[in-house]
């Protein structure tokens, strides 16, 4: 047998297990146009739904007349809140414990809000009829500024005040104003204030992390099919959490959960946009129940940008204190969080501001305090973690800007300031002042590697020369060196403190080995492009010695997959990836007993060797996993059940804390405000690396979205509440033209509690990237007196910064 001359290394390589840059198995399908997205689903007799949406940001809805719309040939129904009310479906619960109108119930709170749902034989008839629904509005005063909202006597949410107009308690406690949603605090306020008040040096800054949007290639959509004969509802949709959607649909519709099958087919990018529940999902279900026919709803691009899942919109006010030598002593942060018309933030229930309390970053800061006030305004609801784990991008942006501002105040090099404040390797597991336990890290090693790779001192010397040349009139270009060091917090999360609407955030994997030694694995997560079918098979391959190519991986069908909380917050690898390893280990344990029986030795006398069990001390006596699998189905083994399969529901003991060191070198044309990214170096540490090529792809994608957010992407409103950036003409999506060549690098600091030591990576590059790009822009102007300017740094804003600093005079 050829097998016997192979070394263990050869055998391991043949498995394409962990550490292998295995090519993505999904891409054969995708590159040939054989993907199967929601809009590809076509069912017999399928109807199409489309929304009438509000042109106003705040208005009373006085009447809705659908007579003319109903006359359009092919129109089957026009559904309004009045039709949903008897079913109790005119409002729906949000992930944040608030409730949200499914269709306008007496008033509208943001431009583009769903007012009526038109159902027709085809999309065109539906769109024509949408135009003919007559809605009479009475305009109300519009509030788009959260600070103004907290002072105004205009009550946005009349359903949240008592008969005296006083704010009733919300899902996260008392509210101090009708437009106030919650106050959330972490850390020690009095102690932090005392430290800051008596500090040698204090730096203060207010920064706005603007509103933006994940804008995936595929917009949101669903197809609902109610089978009146079997009583079964099948719901296909762009869901990042299909099981949670099933439970929520069951709870709000009253349909028994076993009669609901939710399927997430291929998803064209999620980035947080597809975590929440939208009116379109509910309306397609209701329309299918009412008409007895399948109903499809697919958003267009403008609807996606204007009404679903915005991200950020955080006003962050910070104070940071230090000794004269630069040792940080305290951090104070207050956030005013603009949540729009409904609090539909996608965060674990106990965290109304997500993991914003990771804002002490990668630094050993002994005292800190954070308070977040959520506020209602006349903007779209959402608040999703667009490529970051629940507000971690806000937290990291905040601290990485505060470090720069402090460096300016101390007249110190920002790289050195970071270095002297990093949490030290021997301090892990590290308890942060705001309540987290960082699992592992080696920040100094990563930072030194990054500084060396870019020749940091050389860059600073070049920059100083550039400033001199600029002042001497020899150049009109400035050079910015952007630094950032981030710690992410991913893998929500221990069930004891992380749940969504009461559903604990564990995750799952089920593995079945077939008689011939190939396998199928199913997970509670759902890939949206991350490549789970490729990487999770690699974990199984290494754990039980079956080639990754012989494993089918399935996700997203609630009738077949074990229950899980889905894919967002980079939780798939930390949680479902751990479940995968644990399920595989159960199979390996059973395989060991089978092998021992077949080899006629005691269980403890065989040991696992890549793809087989070998008798200890007698390497020529072994059973391969293939042989063991066959035996499991083919012969009676005393004391052992037939078959070879296992399931694991994994509740992680802690989250994982990936980190990284990024450097961006940028030249800025002072007269046009155009930045030219000369270099971007990204070192990521995500613990054990499953697939280096996929990791690199994730880093490229995350950095590109970071570039977008830092340099131009924005959902902007005018004072009337009109969305000014509702199309791709105005909403910046970077192309190959703007994107630089990324240099990627890594260190490996495994997670001590994860079965294979892996941490998440999908969001990291975004979290670390945004401050890095922003710091580069701001650093270019440091020599001319700039301390801080808000993102997005589009050409005009950069030009304006130069102009304000007198550089055009
Ligand atoms: N160590 C390690 C880690 C990781 N990995 C890989 O990588 C990936 C990723 O992972 P993670 O980090 O775990 O994550 P996930 O969970 O899976 O996912 C999620 C993420 O992911 C990212 N990425 C991506 N990609 C794509 N393509 N698409 C998409 O959509 C997306 N999204 C984004 C986001 S935003 Mo959120 O939702 O906002 O929260 S969150 C997120 C996968 O495949 C895995 O397996 C490896 O290999 N290794
Ligand atoms: Cu986030």
């Amino acid at each position: 047998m050829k097998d016997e001359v192979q070394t263990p290394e050869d055998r391991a390589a043949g498995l394409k297990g962990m550490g292998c840059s295995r090519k993505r198995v999904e891409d054969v399908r995708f590159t040939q146009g054989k993907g199967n997205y929601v809009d590809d689903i076509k069912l017999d007799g399928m109807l199409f739904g489309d929304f009438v949406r509000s042109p106003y940001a705040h208005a009373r809805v006085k009447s809705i007349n659908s007579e003319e719309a109903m006359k359009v040939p092919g129109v089957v129904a026009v559904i309004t809140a009045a039709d949903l009310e008897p079913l109790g479906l005119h409002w729906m619960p949000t992930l944040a414990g608030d409730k949200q109108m499914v269709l306008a119930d007496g008033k509208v709170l943001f431009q583009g809000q769903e007012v009526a749902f038109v159902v027709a034989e085809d999309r065109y008839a539906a769109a024509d009829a949408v135009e003919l629904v007559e809605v009479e509005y009475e305009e109300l005063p519009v509030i788009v500024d959260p600070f103004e909202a907290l002072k105004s006597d205009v009550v946005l949410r009349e359903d949240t005040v008592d008969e005296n107009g006083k704010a009733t308690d919300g899902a996260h406690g008392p509210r101090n104003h009708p437009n106030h949603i919650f106050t959330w605090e972490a850390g020690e306020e009095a102690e932090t204030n005392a430290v800051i008040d008596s500090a040698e040096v204090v730096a203060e800054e207010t920064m706005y992390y603007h509103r933006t949007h994940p804008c995936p290639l595929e917009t949101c959509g669903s197809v609902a099919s109610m089978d009146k004969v079997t009583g079964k509802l099948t719901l296909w949709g762009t869901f990042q959490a299909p099981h949670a959607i099933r439970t929520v649909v069951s709870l709000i519709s009253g349909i028994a959960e076993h009669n609901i099958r939710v399927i997430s087919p291929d998803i064209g990018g999620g980035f947080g946009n597809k975590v929440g529940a939208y009116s379109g999902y509910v309306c397609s279900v209701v329309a299918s129940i009412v008409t007895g026919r399948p109903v499809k709803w697919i958003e267009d691009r403008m609807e996606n940008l204007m009404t679903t899942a915005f991200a950020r919109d955080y006003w962050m006010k910070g104070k940071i204190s230090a000794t004269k030598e630069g040792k940080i002593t305290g951090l104070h942060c207050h956030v005013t969080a603009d949540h729009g018309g409904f609090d539909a933030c996608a965060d674990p229930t106990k965290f109304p501001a997500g993991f914003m309390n990771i804002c002490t970053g990668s630094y050993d800061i002994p005292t800190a305090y954070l308070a977040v006030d959520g506020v209602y305004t006349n903007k779209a609801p959402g608040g999703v973690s667009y490529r970051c784990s629940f507000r971690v991008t806000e937290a990291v942006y905040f601290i990485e800007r505060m470090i720069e501002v402090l460096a300016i105040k101390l007249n110190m090099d920002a790289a050195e300031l970071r270095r002297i404040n990093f949490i030290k390797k021997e301090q892990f597991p590290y308890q942060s002042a705001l309540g987290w336990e960082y699992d592992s890290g080696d920040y100094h090693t990563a930072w030194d590697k990054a500084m060396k790779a870019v020749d940091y001192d050389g860059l600073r010397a070049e920059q100083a020369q550039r400033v001199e040349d600029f002042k001497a009139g020899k150049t009109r270009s400035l050079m910015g060196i952007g630094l950032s060091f981030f710690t992410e917090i991913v893998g929500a999360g221990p069930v004891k403190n992380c749940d969504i609407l009461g559903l604990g955030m564990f995750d799952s994997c089920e593995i079945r080995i077939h008689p011939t030694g190939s396998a199928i694995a199913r997970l509670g997560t759902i890939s949206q492009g991350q490549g789970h079918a490729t990487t999770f098979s690699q974990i199984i391959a290494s754990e039980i010695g079956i080639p990754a190519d012989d494993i089918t991986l399935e996700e997203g069908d609630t009738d077949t997959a074990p229950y899980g909380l889905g894919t967002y917050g980079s939780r798939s690898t930390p949680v479902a990836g751990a479940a995968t390893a644990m399920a595989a280990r159960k199979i390996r344990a059973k395989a060991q007993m089978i092998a021992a029986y077949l080899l006629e030795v005691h269980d403890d006398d065989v040991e696992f060797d890549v793809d087989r069990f070998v008798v200890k001390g007698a390497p020529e006596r072994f059973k391969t996993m293939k042989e063991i699998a066959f035996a499991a189905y083919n012969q009676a083994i005393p004391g052992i059940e037939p078959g070879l399969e296992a399931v694991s529901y994994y509740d992680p003991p802690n989250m994982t804390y990936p980190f990284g060191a990024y450097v961006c070198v940028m030249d800025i044309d002072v007269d046009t405000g155009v930045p030219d990214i000369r270099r971007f170096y990204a070192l990521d540490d995500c613990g054990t690396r499953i697939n280096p090529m996929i990791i690199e792809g994730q880093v490229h994608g995350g950095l590109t979205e970071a570039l977008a957010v830092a340099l131009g992407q924005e959902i902007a409103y005018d004072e009337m509440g009109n969305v000014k950036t509702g199309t791709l003409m105005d909403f910046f999506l970077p192309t190959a033209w703007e994107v630089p060549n990324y240099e990627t690098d890594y260190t490996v600091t495994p997670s001590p509690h994860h079965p294979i030591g892996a941490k998440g990576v999908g969001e990291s590059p975004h979290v670390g990237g945004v401050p890095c790009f922003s710091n580069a822009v701001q650093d270019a102007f440091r020599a001319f007196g700039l301390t801080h300017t808000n993102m997005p740094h589009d050409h005009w804003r950069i030009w304006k910064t130069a102009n304000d600093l007198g550089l055009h005079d």
Side-chain angles (χ1 to χ4, degrees):
M1 236 167 90
K2 175 178 167 272
D3 203 50
E4 277 153 52
V5 297
Q6 279 190 319
T7 64
E9 291 71 29
D10 290 339
R11 288 189 276 120
L15 298 177
K16 298 193 193 161
M18 287 197 296
C20 165
S21 281
R22 180 181 186 221
K23 284 195 178 152
R24 289 168 36 111
V25 294
E26 297 85 343
D27 291 346
V28 178
R29 220 164 72 243
F30 293 149
T31 54
Q32 299 185 46
K34 292 285 198 291
N36 183 37
Y37 299 91
V38 174
D39 204 19
D40 292 324
I41 291 159
K42 296 183 173 74
L43 303 175
D44 281 347
M46 190 168 73
L47 299 169
F48 296 80
D50 197 359
F51 280 112
V52 176
R53 293 180 180 274
S54 170
Y56 298 108
H58 194 199
R60 221 162 279 296
V61 177
K62 307 204 67 169
S63 66
I64 303 174
N65 182 344
S66 41
E67 234 169 82
E68 289 305 309
M70 285 300 292
K71 288 184 194 154
V72 174
V75 170
V76 176
V78 178
I79 298 172
T80 66
D83 304 308
L84 297 180
E85 190 171 355
L87 307 168
L89 290 175
H90 54 319
W91 288 70
M92 61 179 173
T94 70
L95 294 178
D98 195 1
K99 53 182 185 148
Q100 174 176 352
M101 294 176 212
V102 173
L103 291 170
D105 183 24
K107 77 188 284 193
V108 287
L109 287 158
F110 61 94
Q111 188 180 54
Q113 187 177 330
E114 301 79 1
V115 174
F117 191 64
V118 176
V119 187
E121 296 289 341
D122 61 59
R123 275 201 87 134
Y124 308 98
D128 288 347
V130 162
E131 300 296 321
L132 295 176
V133 175
E134 290 163 28
V135 185
E136 197 191 332
Y137 297 97
E138 177 192 312
E139 284 183 71
L140 295 168
V142 172
I143 306 178
V144 289
D145 173 1
F147 298 99
E148 194 196 314
L150 290 179
K151 284 181 275 172
S152 173
D153 46 16
V154 175
V155 176
L156 298 180
R157 288 283 300 276
E158 282 129 354
D159 61 301
T160 69
V161 295
D162 63 19
E163 56 283 359
N164 307 316
K166 204 179 157 295
T168 51
D169 282 2
H172 306 290
R175 305 185 302 125
N176 57 37
H177 183 278
N179 300 329
H180 174 241
I181 309 174
F182 62 82
T183 300
W184 185 61
E185 293 173 280
E188 301 296 330
E189 185 174 23
E191 202 183 313
T192 305
N193 286 339
V195 166
I196 291 175
D197 288 345
S198 61
E200 291 175 359
V201 183
V202 178
E204 287 184 50
E205 194 55 70
T206 299
M207 57 195 88
Y208 178 47
Y209 197 147
H210 58 290
R211 183 176 269 244
T212 182
H213 193 284
C215 192
L217 201 53
E218 177 202 29
T219 59
C220 299
S222 57
V223 175
S225 178
M226 183 73 202
D227 184 330
K228 294 223 164 148
V229 177
T230 61
K232 265 223 161 205
L233 170 70
T234 307
L235 179 62
W236 290 263
T238 46
F239 310 128
Q240 288 184 236
H243 291 276
I245 290 280
R246 186 185 71 191
T247 303
V248 171
V249 170
S250 173
L251 290 175
I252 70 175
S253 70
I255 302 172
E257 201 164 353
H258 70 284
N259 278 331
I260 303 171
R261 178 179 185 187
V262 173
I263 301 174
S264 294
D266 285 329
I267 295 182
F271 309 112
N273 187 218
K274 295 162 180 172
V275 173
Y278 298 124
S279 298
Y281 304 161
V282 179
C283 288
S284 63
V285 169
V286 172
S288 179
I289 293 173
V290 171
T291 62
R293 294 166 65 178
V295 177
K296 178 186 277 187
W297 164 73
I298 303 282
E299 277 176 340
D300 67 21
R301 180 60 60 190
M302 287 181 71
E303 293 179 296
N304 180 255
L305 282 172
M306 290 173 64
T307 68
T308 53
F310 79 90
R312 334 295 191 223
D313 218 341
Y314 260 32
W315 290 89
M316 306 183 284
K317 198 167 181 293
K319 274 189 214 167
I320 190 165
S321 62
T323 63
K324 286 198 289 291
E325 295 73 37
K327 181 76 195 82
I328 300 170
T329 55
L331 180 73
H332 189 290
C333 177
H334 181 267
V335 180
T336 303
D338 186 339
H339 285 215
F342 307 95
D343 183 7
C345 280
D347 296 310
T349 305
K350 295 185 189 85
F351 297 87
F355 301 158
M356 184 64 201
N357 57 332
I358 189 89
C359 67
T360 52
S362 314
Y363 310 101
D364 183 17
I365 303 182
T367 31
Y369 172 72
L370 164 77
V372 182
D373 281 297
V375 183
Y376 290 123
T377 61
N378 291 120
K379 297 180 184 173
V384 296
S385 50
Y386 165 18
R387 211 161 188 150
C388 86
S389 186
F390 314 117
R391 306 286 184 182
V392 175
T393 181
E394 287 91 330
V396 170
Y397 184 73
F398 169 77
I399 185 67
E400 288 305 288
R401 283 302 304 144
M402 289 310 291
I403 290 282
E404 296 282 320
V405 170
L406 178 63
I408 291 169
K409 186 100 188 193
L410 288 162
N411 195 22
M412 216 176 137
D413 178 79
E416 184 54 21
L417 179 58
R418 284 180 173 83
R419 157 168 261 300
I420 61 180
N421 285 289
F422 282 141
I423 300 162
K424 294 188 196 71
K425 191 178 170 183
E426 55 277 13
Q427 285 177 284
F428 292 93
Y430 173 80
Q431 206 67 45
S432 84
L434 294 177
W436 297 110
E437 186 184 298
Y438 294 27
D439 63 344
S440 64
D442 184 355
Y443 300 168
H444 286 96
T445 300
W447 194 236
D448 291 347
K449 193 172 182 190
M451 294 295 103
K452 207 166 155 221
V454 299
D455 179 20
Y456 182 69
D457 294 337
L459 286 173
R460 284 292 177 206
E462 186 189 347
Q463 184 188 41
Q465 183 61 47
R466 183 78 66 85
V467 169
E468 245 176 66
D469 290 350
F470 184 88
K471 286 181 176 160
K474 289 191 211 155
T475 177
R476 294 296 292 160
S477 145
L478 292 174
M479 183 177 155
I481 303 168
L483 304 175
S484 89
F485 195 99
F486 68 91
T487 298
E488 250 265 82
I489 170 170
V490 300
V495 168
K496 63 177 187 295
N497 53 32
C498 285
D499 69 274
I500 286 191
L501 296 177
L503 301 168
M505 296 178 79
F506 59 85
D507 227 288
S508 61
C509 175
E510 180 201 272
I511 304 172
R512 252 181 231 176
I513 312 294
H514 307 313
T516 52
S518 64
I520 182 166
R522 296 190 171 106
L523 284 81
T525 45
I526 174 72
S527 187
Q528 308 126 40
Q530 294 86 344
H532 291 175
T534 307
T535 53
F536 290 128
S537 303
Q538 292 181 250
I539 299 178
I540 301 171
S542 290
E543 288 290 339
I544 58 180
I546 288 182
D549 288 343
D550 293 351
I551 303 166
T552 297
L553 198 121
E554 259 184 32
E555 297 174 307
D557 183 341
T558 59
D559 262 11
T560 57
Y563 205 98
L565 269 285
T567 293
Y568 43 83
S570 265
R571 64 186 296 281
S572 305
T573 304
V575 194
T580 305
M582 297 310 269
R585 285 174 194 181
K586 289 184 190 176
I587 287 180
R588 199 168 77 192
K590 182 168 176 182
Q592 176 164 3
M593 294 194 282
I594 298 173
Y597 172 79
L598 297 174
L599 292 162
E600 296 178 340
V601 294
H602 189 270
D603 288 358
D604 294 338
D605 292 333
V606 291
E607 61 189 355
F608 188 65
D609 173 35
V610 183
D611 58 353
R612 61 194 59 185
F613 277 95
V614 180
V615 176
K616 285 181 188 164
E620 69 293 347
R621 296 190 60 211
F622 61 85
K623 288 287 170 191
T624 64
M625 282 304 289
K626 236 181 151 71
E627 292 167 321
I628 296 167
F630 197 72
Y633 290 89
N634 141 285
Q635 70 191 90
I637 302 171
I640 295 179
E641 282 179 22
L644 194 53
E645 59 181 73
V647 59
S648 166
Y649 287 84
Y650 188 79
D651 178 11
N654 189 4
M655 286 189 246
T656 66
Y657 296 72
F659 57 92
Y662 291 0
V663 182
C664 172
V665 185
M666 189 184 271
D667 295 308
I668 290 180
D669 182 325
V670 169
D671 297 313
T672 60
V674 176
D676 177 25
I677 300 154
R678 201 203 305 170
R679 235 184 133 173
F680 200 103
Y681 170 90
L683 178 150
D684 273 276
D685 190 319
C686 56
T688 305
R689 292 150 48 92
I690 303 164
N691 184 320
M693 184 162 60
I694 286 204
I695 292 173
E696 195 178 5
Q698 288 291 312
V699 172
H700 285 200
L703 289 176
T704 301
E705 286 183 318
L707 179 151
V709 169
L711 301 184
Q713 193 171 82
E714 178 183 21
I715 296 290
Y717 287 82
D718 69 12
E719 67 285 358
M720 301 292 291
N722 295 307
V723 180
K724 296 198 289 181
T725 52
T727 76
L728 294 186
M729 295 288 283
D730 318 285
F731 185 82
F732 173 49
L733 271 197
T735 63
W737 182 256
E738 289 89 2
V739 174
N741 179 41
Y742 300 121
E743 298 163 51
T744 57
D745 203 346
Y746 65 96
T747 53
V748 176
T749 311
S751 166
H753 61 78
H754 188 283
I756 58 167
K759 303 180 178 185
V761 78
E763 305 175 318
S764 297
H766 190 78
V767 168
V770 174
C772 192
F773 285 109
S774 179
N775 282 345
V777 173
Q778 322 232 23
D779 181 69
F781 297 104
R782 176 172 169 174
F784 300 89
L786 181 74
T787 41
H788 176 78
T789 173
N790 286 327
M791 295 188 291
H793 308 293
D794 53 22
H795 301 174
W796 181 78
R797 285 188 178 91
I798 294 178
W799 179 90
K800 179 89 168 35
T801 300
N803 199 58
D804 291 347
L805 294 170
L807 303 184
H808 295 150
D809 302 341

